[in-house]
Amino acid sequence: EGVRSDGYLDRLNQIADVKDLTNLGLDAIVDEGKEPLWEDANGTGAAFKGTMKKRETDDFKISFAYYPGCLGNNEVPANRSSGAYIFRPNSTKAIGLNVESVSEISGDLLSEVRTKIRGNVLSIKRVYKEFDFIEHEWLVGPISVDDGIGKEYVVKYQTDIINNGEFYTDSNGRQMLKRKLNARPQWNLTLTEPVPGNYYPVTNEIYIENGERFTVLTDRSQGGTSLVEGEVELMLHRRLLHDDAFGVGEALNETVLGSGLVVRGKHRILRSKDPVEIAKSVFQMHLPPVVFVSDASGLSYEQW
Amino acid sequence: EFILNELKSAMGIMQHHDAITGTEKQHVAHDYERILSTAIDDALLVARQAFNKAAQGDSGKAPLFSYDRCHFNESRCHTSETSETFMVTVYNPLAWGVREAVKLPVTYGHYEVYAPNGDKIVTQLVEIPDEVKRIPNRRSEATHELVFIAHLHPLGVKSFYVKRVSTTKRAIANGSYLEWISG
């Protein structure tokens, strides 16, 4: 309470001081001020860093970015628009989104860091006292298209793992398959679309490893890749203004009350290498407990 | 059975690749929403009857509980937002025991949650982010989420009793709130 500042350095110092207030296994969510809590230089996007007391290696950054959609007349593949069927950004570099504000909550059951990010993005990094995983809840949208450009939003998890361009995604919920950047196992590959050509379906799980392992479980099917060493990238939301001429005949531009849709979901981040623990977590993500709420007016505790 | 068949039928339609991926035309998307939403609402009838049957035994009394549809993806639930006391029934569909955080949209206040053995359990009140409150078309009075951890048996059902104790107490939300606002 009362810790506020307009200065960047002041902010870092204060956050370092505040770490003792967290009473969970979450070790301050910041790392004693040795690294910037967030960074917005070079347009690489906003990030914050987290460490957990239980596992010193739980150290990664989360940032958000978007790919501007391609616009073309669809007459030849080179003029294909990004649309419902086709992910075709007009740039190989995603545009980073900066942090607007950060807040922190700590209590008896959970601690979380809420990061408000430019472009209608909210990122909540959450640690439960009882659970070993880190939960990343994201809320994206409505995506603004006032500039006439369709956008495809992604989240990036940046780690120190040297994965040599290799990452693993599940095969429609069955076995995990190894994916290699700019490569296919059966033929020599020349990619005309360097970003989408490296995107793969993620029904449940995507991970990178090299000694240690960084796994992200999704709560729904998403597209995922690892374009940069140590990074896992997942697409969260899209709003596009042009049809891609693959049959739907409409742009992927859904609205509610005139504004774009808001999507809200969760990723579960695991550092475990135990296949049983990971498999159980996958099931728990997809078959969570069913919760019924019923009015109990007139029913006392004793009667219950 | 015919009510459940309606939901099974709707789920069958939702296996279409356009429904899965969202590559259908917009009016088709709305039709899918209509079919699925109606089927879920109707299937809740079965849940209501089943739970009331279990709760009443053979007494034949009038139904005790009504189960309203909660929209947890928008942090809204009419019953938990408006009732002073409510019951939370949690079913674990997995064949092993799990611990899961249950989050109930509520208005600001002091709440007590009791586990099936009658013990009061630890809870935390967490403010719902403004970004969630601003979701277009969201109609809800909920300002916070009441969080507790449910320990569930394999394929087990547990019932929790929630009681709103006070609405005026200050500093009810247990936990520290710290905010930095950027320049």
Side-chain angles (χ1 to χ4, degrees):
Chain A
E1 191 175 354
V3 180
R4 284 193 180 177
S5 171
D6 293 329
Y8 178 72
L9 287 174
D10 287 344
R11 217 155 50 212
L12 282 182
N13 291 332
Q14 286 158 357
I15 289 161
D17 290 339
V18 157
K19 77 186 182 80
D20 291 333
L21 291 175
T22 59
N23 59 358
L24 300 182
L26 188 68
D27 188 11
I29 303 168
V30 294
D31 54 352
E32 317 223 355
K34 287 174 189 168
E35 296 281 337
L37 182 68
W38 61 81
E39 56 191 22
D40 52 14
N42 306 320
T44 54
F48 58 88
K49 209 166 178 182
T51 57
M52 283 178 77
K53 223 175 225 170
K54 288 180 185 170
R55 293 180 178 144
E56 294 299 328
T57 53
D58 278 331
D59 195 7
F60 63 94
K61 294 177 183 175
I62 300 174
S63 62
F64 288 80
Y66 72 84
Y67 292 100
C70 219
L71 167 60
N73 59 13
N74 297 320
E75 287 184 355
V76 292
N79 291 338
R80 176 80 61 196
S81 287
S82 201
Y85 288 91
I86 301 296
F87 167 36
R88 189 159 187 259
N90 72 3
S91 163
T92 54
K93 191 169 167 55
I95 296 171
L97 297 166
N98 294 339
V99 166
E100 288 183 343
S101 67
V102 181
S103 62
E104 183 183 327
I105 289 171
S106 181
D108 294 333
L109 295 176
L110 61 91
S111 280
E112 61 185 42
V113 174
R114 298 178 175 187
T115 311
K116 191 179 171 188
I117 295 160
R118 193 168 64 85
N120 289 336
V121 177
L122 176 71
S123 164
I124 302 176
K125 189 179 179 184
R126 184 177 296 126
V127 177
Y128 291 93
K129 196 174 184 180
E130 287 206 30
F131 307 144
D132 283 339
F133 59 82
I134 294 176
E135 187 173 88
H136 178 222
E137 181 177 339
W138 40 267
L139 185 141
V140 181
I143 295 174
S144 171
V145 289
D146 292 343
D147 54 4
I149 298 171
K151 298 173 185 68
E152 315 196 34
Y153 275 54
V154 296
V155 60
K156 299 179 179 196
Y157 297 97
Q158 296 160 271
T159 73
D160 297 330
I161 296 172
I162 306 298
N163 59 309
N164 298 313
E166 293 176 354
F167 56 103
Y168 296 79
T169 62
D170 66 281
S171 174
N172 203 22
R174 298 180 183 89
Q175 79 274 29
M176 299 301 293
L177 293 181
K178 184 198 273 190
R179 315 294 192 179
K180 176 114 178 125
L181 202 61
N182 301 318
R184 298 288 186 273
Q186 297 90 355
W187 68 91
N188 293 328
L189 181 70
T190 305
L191 282 177
T192 53
E193 295 290 342
V195 175
N198 283 303
Y199 257 73
Y200 291 89
V202 178
T203 306
N204 295 325
E205 179 182 354
I206 179 170
Y207 74 86
I208 54 175
E209 68 174 357
N210 189 352
E212 54 181 325
R213 172 169 164 162
F214 183 86
T215 307
V216 181
L217 306 184
T218 60
D219 64 350
R220 69 200 68 188
S221 297
Q222 294 177 324
T225 186
S226 174
L227 296 172
V228 177
E229 282 298 283
E231 196 171 279
V232 170
E233 180 176 314
L234 285 155
M235 186 174 288
L236 303 179
H237 193 15
R238 326 166 66 206
R239 189 179 182 195
L240 299 160
L241 301 175
H242 301 278
D243 177 42
D244 58 12
F246 265 87
V248 69
E250 288 178 1
L252 191 70
N253 181 16
E254 197 169 354
T255 58
V256 173
L257 299 176
S259 64
L261 294 190
V262 179
V263 292
R264 188 186 189 191
K266 284 174 188 170
H267 289 159
R268 190 173 284 190
I269 294 147
L270 307 171
R271 301 305 295 258
S272 170
K273 288 192 275 189
D274 178 2
V276 175
E277 187 182 332
I278 294 166
K280 279 186 159 183
S281 282
V282 168
F283 274 100
Q284 283 170 224
M285 284 287 279
H286 284 270
L287 288 167
V290 185
V291 178
F292 292 96
V293 181
S294 60
D295 179 37
S297 298
L299 182 75
S300 68
Y301 165 78
E302 288 74 21
Q303 288 171 317
W304 168 75
Chain B
E1 190 67 32
F2 74 90
I3 291 173
L4 290 181
N5 281 344
E6 182 193 353
L7 183 56
K8 288 176 185 175
S9 171
M11 287 307 296
I13 294 168
M14 299 309 139
Q15 305 305 305
H16 186 269
H17 63 88
D18 276 350
I20 291 170
T21 56
T23 48
E24 72 277 58
K25 283 180 184 288
Q26 192 55 53
H27 69 274
V28 178
H30 290 320
D31 196 39
Y32 286 166
E33 286 168 20
R34 182 187 62 80
I35 291 167
L36 194 56
S37 182
T38 306
I40 291 170
D41 279 343
D42 289 350
L44 272 176
L45 266 172
V46 178
R48 287 190 194 104
Q49 289 176 352
F51 281 113
N52 278 316
K53 197 174 279 186
Q56 291 169 21
D58 297 326
S59 66
K61 288 179 185 169
L64 284 169
F65 314 117
S66 68
Y67 286 86
D68 291 319
R69 189 167 156 194
C70 292
H71 299 253
F72 293 118
N73 60 332
E74 293 183 352
S75 297
R76 66 181 172 103
C77 173
H78 179 74
T79 304
S80 62
E81 289 170 25
T82 56
S83 299
E84 294 290 312
T85 51
F86 53 93
M87 262 178 49
V88 182
T89 309
V90 190
Y91 166 63
N92 171 23
L94 295 171
W96 58 84
V98 299
R99 290 171 297 155
E100 192 75 27
V102 176
K103 294 184 173 183
L104 303 165
V106 294
T107 52
Y108 187 65
H110 186 64
Y111 293 85
E112 290 176 349
V113 178
Y114 295 91
N117 63 359
D119 287 348
K120 192 159 78 175
I121 58 175
V122 179
T123 62
Q124 185 174 343
L125 206 59
V126 178
E127 191 173 1
I128 296 172
D130 290 340
E131 288 75 7
V132 174
K133 293 176 192 167
R134 287 199 298 263
I135 289 174
N137 220 19
R138 177 182 183 267
R139 293 190 194 90
S140 172
E141 299 298 316
T143 56
H144 290 71
E145 281 183 320
L146 179 67
V147 185
F148 65 89
I149 307 294
H151 293 232
L152 302 166
H153 300 302
L155 300 167
V157 179
K158 274 191 178 179
S159 166
F160 298 84
Y161 186 81
V162 184
K163 185 164 68 174
R164 185 185 171 100
V165 178
S166 150
T167 56
T168 55
K169 203 171 172 181
R170 294 283 296 165
I172 288 164
N174 51 350
S176 313
Y177 286 77
L178 298 161
E179 186 165 5
W180 297 272
I181 297 171
S182 76

